[in-house]
mmCIF file of all heavy atoms in Angstrom:
data_model
loop_
_atom_site.group_PDB
_atom_site.id
_atom_site.type_symbol
_atom_site.label_atom_id
_atom_site.label_comp_id
_atom_site.label_asym_id
_atom_site.label_seq_id
_atom_site.Cartn_x
_atom_site.Cartn_y
_atom_site.Cartn_z
ATOM 1 N N ILE A 334 25.378 13.504 -2.394
ATOM 2 C CA ILE A 334 25.973 13.103 -1.118
ATOM 3 C C ILE A 334 25.747 11.613 -0.886
ATOM 4 O O ILE A 334 24.674 11.092 -1.136
ATOM 5 C CB ILE A 334 25.390 13.915 0.066
ATOM 6 C CG1 ILE A 334 23.858 13.937 0.034
ATOM 7 C CG2 ILE A 334 25.953 15.315 0.094
ATOM 8 C CD1 ILE A 334 23.235 14.527 1.281
ATOM 9 N N ASN A 335 26.781 10.923 -0.453
ATOM 10 C CA ASN A 335 26.608 9.489 -0.205
ATOM 11 C C ASN A 335 27.506 8.970 0.907
ATOM 12 O O ASN A 335 27.688 7.778 1.056
ATOM 13 C CB ASN A 335 26.861 8.683 -1.487
ATOM 14 C CG ASN A 335 28.247 8.925 -2.055
ATOM 15 O OD1 ASN A 335 29.144 9.383 -1.353
ATOM 16 N ND2 ASN A 335 28.433 8.614 -3.318
ATOM 17 N N THR A 336 28.081 9.862 1.678
ATOM 18 C CA THR A 336 28.874 9.421 2.817
ATOM 19 C C THR A 336 28.355 10.140 4.055
ATOM 20 O O THR A 336 27.470 10.977 3.979
ATOM 21 C CB THR A 336 30.359 9.758 2.609
ATOM 22 O OG1 THR A 336 30.479 11.157 2.357
ATOM 23 C CG2 THR A 336 30.948 8.991 1.448
ATOM 24 N N GLY A 337 28.950 9.846 5.207
ATOM 25 C CA GLY A 337 28.524 10.526 6.427
ATOM 26 C C GLY A 337 27.078 10.209 6.747
ATOM 27 O O GLY A 337 26.664 9.064 6.751
ATOM 28 N N VAL A 338 26.288 11.245 6.979
ATOM 29 C CA VAL A 338 24.891 11.054 7.372
ATOM 30 C C VAL A 338 24.114 10.336 6.272
ATOM 31 O O VAL A 338 23.164 9.624 6.531
ATOM 32 C CB VAL A 338 24.243 12.418 7.706
ATOM 33 C CG1 VAL A 338 22.760 12.252 7.995
ATOM 34 C CG2 VAL A 338 24.926 13.019 8.925
ATOM 35 N N GLU A 339 24.544 10.522 5.009
ATOM 36 C CA GLU A 339 23.809 9.913 3.906
ATOM 37 C C GLU A 339 23.936 8.391 3.926
ATOM 38 O O GLU A 339 23.079 7.688 3.428
ATOM 39 C CB GLU A 339 24.319 10.471 2.575
ATOM 40 C CG GLU A 339 23.646 9.883 1.345
ATOM 41 C CD GLU A 339 22.142 9.974 1.403
ATOM 42 O OE1 GLU A 339 21.589 10.854 2.065
ATOM 43 O OE2 GLU A 339 21.493 9.115 0.770
ATOM 44 N N SER A 340 25.016 7.868 4.483
ATOM 45 C CA SER A 340 25.187 6.424 4.500
ATOM 46 C C SER A 340 24.479 5.820 5.710
ATOM 47 O O SER A 340 24.224 6.500 6.703
ATOM 48 C CB SER A 340 26.679 6.075 4.549
ATOM 49 O OG SER A 340 27.227 6.547 5.757
ATOM 50 N N ALA A 341 24.178 4.542 5.609
ATOM 51 C CA ALA A 341 23.488 3.869 6.709
ATOM 52 C C ALA A 341 24.321 3.918 7.985
ATOM 53 O O ALA A 341 23.784 4.040 9.085
ATOM 54 C CB ALA A 341 23.212 2.421 6.320
ATOM 55 N N GLU A 342 25.650 3.859 7.827
ATOM 56 C CA GLU A 342 26.530 3.877 8.998
ATOM 57 C C GLU A 342 26.407 5.188 9.766
ATOM 58 O O GLU A 342 26.761 5.276 10.940
ATOM 59 C CB GLU A 342 27.999 3.687 8.572
ATOM 60 C CG GLU A 342 28.253 2.406 7.783
ATOM 61 C CD GLU A 342 28.032 2.586 6.284
ATOM 62 O OE1 GLU A 342 26.975 3.117 5.893
ATOM 63 O OE2 GLU A 342 28.910 2.191 5.511
ATOM 64 N N GLY A 343 25.919 6.209 9.096
ATOM 65 C CA GLY A 343 25.767 7.510 9.742
ATOM 66 C C GLY A 343 24.425 7.688 10.423
ATOM 67 O O GLY A 343 24.021 8.806 10.712
ATOM 68 N N ARG A 344 23.756 6.576 10.720
ATOM 69 C CA ARG A 344 22.413 6.682 11.295
ATOM 70 C C ARG A 344 22.388 7.451 12.609
ATOM 71 O O ARG A 344 21.491 8.253 12.855
ATOM 72 C CB ARG A 344 21.837 5.284 11.526
ATOM 73 C CG ARG A 344 20.324 5.313 11.475
ATOM 74 C CD ARG A 344 19.673 4.094 12.031
ATOM 75 N NE ARG A 344 18.852 4.505 13.153
ATOM 76 C CZ ARG A 344 18.194 3.658 13.912
ATOM 77 N NH1 ARG A 344 18.274 2.380 13.687
ATOM 78 N NH2 ARG A 344 17.455 4.090 14.903
ATOM 79 N N LYS A 345 23.392 7.235 13.448
ATOM 80 C CA LYS A 345 23.438 7.941 14.733
ATOM 81 C C LYS A 345 23.548 9.452 14.505
ATOM 82 O O LYS A 345 22.898 10.244 15.187
ATOM 83 C CB LYS A 345 24.619 7.451 15.575
ATOM 84 C CG LYS A 345 24.420 6.050 16.131
ATOM 85 C CD LYS A 345 23.532 6.069 17.384
ATOM 86 C CE LYS A 345 23.274 4.681 17.914
ATOM 87 N NZ LYS A 345 21.920 4.219 17.731
ATOM 88 N N ALA A 346 24.367 9.830 13.540
ATOM 89 C CA ALA A 346 24.518 11.252 13.219
ATOM 90 C C ALA A 346 23.200 11.817 12.705
ATOM 91 O O ALA A 346 22.816 12.949 13.031
ATOM 92 C CB ALA A 346 25.625 11.448 12.191
ATOM 93 N N LEU A 347 22.501 11.010 11.897
ATOM 94 C CA LEU A 347 21.209 11.443 11.369
ATOM 95 C C LEU A 347 20.202 11.631 12.511
ATOM 96 O O LEU A 347 19.445 12.606 12.532
ATOM 97 C CB LEU A 347 20.689 10.403 10.368
ATOM 98 C CG LEU A 347 19.436 10.737 9.573
ATOM 99 C CD1 LEU A 347 19.638 11.988 8.733
ATOM 100 C CD2 LEU A 347 19.035 9.570 8.676
ATOM 101 N N GLU A 348 20.235 10.711 13.468
ATOM 102 C CA GLU A 348 19.346 10.833 14.630
ATOM 103 C C GLU A 348 19.603 12.140 15.382
ATOM 104 O O GLU A 348 18.674 12.834 15.779
ATOM 105 C CB GLU A 348 19.558 9.643 15.585
ATOM 106 C CG GLU A 348 18.898 8.368 15.087
ATOM 107 C CD GLU A 348 19.122 7.193 16.037
ATOM 108 O OE1 GLU A 348 19.798 7.364 17.067
ATOM 109 O OE2 GLU A 348 18.621 6.099 15.725
#
Side-chain angles (χ1 to χ4, degrees):
I334 49 171
N335 58 20
T336 55
V338 175
E339 179 53 26
S340 64
E342 303 88 310
R344 207 195 119 184
K345 288 280 177 251
L347 187 60
E348 283 180 359

